[in-house]
Amino acid sequence: MKSKRTNQTNTYCIQVKEKLDLHIMNSFGDITLTSLDDGRTLLVGPYVDQSALRGLLDQLWNLNITIISVEKIENENQQATRIFEQGQGET
């Protein structure tokens, strides 16, 4: 049985402990940064597969950036809700 591959991307929200500058993230592709009041940063972006996501996580690791969480975003409403909740200081 052949497995069927799709070109569908998944969107992920990655929360990191540090405040990141936009110029640092330019090499990471199509990522939206949201700085939170407590110094954390949310990175939201599309990835075609797990290896692409792993590549970003490896880059963050190599820059000594502390990853707090990685969450798959199912739709834009969930993304907006997650950013609002994180901005309110919830973890």
Side-chain angles (χ1 to χ4, degrees):
M1 178 190 284
K2 289 184 179 180
S3 64
K4 199 174 190 182
R5 276 201 140 202
T6 64
N7 290 332
Q8 180 180 354
T9 60
N10 293 307
T11 301
Y12 288 88
C13 179
I14 302 165
Q15 182 182 168
V16 299
K17 183 177 178 181
E18 296 80 9
K19 183 172 185 169
L20 302 180
D21 293 331
L22 188 58
H23 69 73
I24 292 174
M25 301 309 295
N26 284 340
S27 64
F28 293 159
D30 187 23
I31 295 178
T32 301
L33 296 179
T34 303
S35 295
L36 305 178
D37 292 338
D38 63 358
R40 293 175 294 146
T41 304
L42 298 180
L43 296 81
V44 178
Y47 295 91
V48 293
D49 57 23
Q50 292 293 308
S51 64
L53 176 62
R54 174 66 188 263
L56 172 66
L57 297 175
D58 285 346
Q59 287 179 313
L60 294 172
W61 173 268
N62 291 337
L63 292 170
N64 293 321
I65 295 170
T66 306
I67 300 167
I68 297 172
S69 65
V70 177
E71 180 180 359
K72 183 177 176 184
I73 303 296
E74 299 296 333
N75 58 52
E76 288 184 25
N77 284 340
Q78 183 182 5
Q79 177 180 335
T81 299
R82 170 60 54 204
I83 290 171
F84 175 77
E85 287 174 354
Q86 294 299 327
Q88 299 301 314
E90 295 179 12
T91 315

